[in-house]
Amino acid sequence: MKTLLTISLLLTGIFCPTLLAQDEAKEAHLPKVLIIGDSISLAFTPHVARQLDGKATVKHNPGNAQHTGTGLAKLDQWIGDTHWDVIHFNWGLWDLCYRHPKSKVQGRRDKVNGTLTTTLEQYEKNLNELVSRLKRTDAKLIWANTTVVPEKEAGRVRGDDVKYNEAAARIMNKHAITTNDLHSLTKTFPADQFDGPGNVHYTQQGYQKIGQQVAEHILTVLESEQKESATKQ
């Protein structure tokens, strides 16, 4: 029994590093996808990664991308030295949120007494700069517009999602950036796919639906790139 155990451990020590190296070699040749966004994108990214398994390596920026001000401060760090083939990005829900230091609600949200994080005018300016910087990566860019703000959200005004998306659309049209319309998608979700009344977050079923649409957009861009490369050869 001890002999068999020793042999098993030896084989594990030999083959596991080899298999890991093989997996890493395969990943190295796959297109690289970066997803930038807040907690919603953090939740749907695993679904995207599963759907693109074997077709692309999918990474999310470290932590929560929060609002456009955070994006301006940390974008270079998130991009790093990696040559990204596709970058799927969003800012919005944090920008349009009102917060107050004395609020007892999660995230200090308070649309009655709080202060708006980013004005609509500043949001549009910030996005323009962020897109200009993202274009310098030479990655194919996909903008995900902001998901729906439900009724009774403690720190966000229903309808501001539409206004901020309209501002974002002007920037994306200016720079000819593809838009993944997550707002229209989440607007169709029934109440039981939201993580409670007035909550901008979703159940796993909701995140799976969002992840599927994100994966489809990324795959469309990758396939288009592959066709363009084939015609140039």
Side-chain angles (χ1 to χ4, degrees), residues 54-117:
K55 299 175 182 176
T57 58
V58 180
K59 305 292 183 183
H60 192 282
N61 68 274
N64 191 318
Q66 300 181 344
H67 49 79
T68 51
T70 303
L72 290 171
K74 295 187 176 182
L75 185 63
D76 292 342
Q77 177 186 330
W78 294 337
I79 292 170
D81 297 326
T82 303
H83 174 76
W84 300 103
D85 295 279
V86 178
I87 299 177
H88 182 282
F89 64 105
N90 164 265
W91 289 275
L93 283 178
W94 274 64
D95 289 275
L96 58 81
C97 188
Y98 291 80
R99 302 182 193 271
H100 192 282
K102 293 185 178 180
S103 172
K104 302 299 182 183
V105 179
Q106 189 273 333
R108 304 296 184 192
R109 290 169 294 140
D110 185 347
K111 64 185 174 186
V112 177
N113 302 304
T115 301
L116 180 63
T117 303

Side-chain angles (χ1 to χ4, degrees), residues 29-34 48-49 51-58 83-88 138-142 178 214-230:
H29 291 89
L30 291 175
K32 294 176 176 61
V33 176
L34 175 63
V48 177
Q51 293 189 53
L52 296 181
D53 184 37
K55 299 175 182 176
T57 58
V58 180
H83 174 76
W84 300 103
D85 295 279
V86 178
I87 299 177
H88 182 282
D138 289 329
K140 292 295 182 181
L141 304 180
I142 303 173
T178 299
V214 172
E216 288 171 354
H217 274 72
I218 292 171
L219 194 57
T220 297
V221 169
L222 289 175
E223 289 175 347
S224 176
E225 276 291 281
Q226 289 169 359
K227 287 178 182 177
E228 284 183 22
S229 297

Side-chain angles (χ1 to χ4, degrees), residues 114-152:
T115 301
L116 180 63
T117 303
T118 312
T119 65
L120 190 59
E121 181 182 9
Q122 189 62 50
Y123 175 72
E124 192 165 352
K125 289 179 180 177
N126 289 354
L127 266 186
N128 187 61
E129 183 176 343
L130 285 162
V131 171
S132 297
R133 288 165 62 179
L134 283 167
K135 286 172 73 175
R136 294 201 290 267
T137 67
D138 289 329
K140 292 295 182 181
L141 304 180
I142 303 173
W143 163 251
N145 64 6
T146 297
T147 50
V148 70
V149 172
E151 293 181 8
K152 300 180 180 179

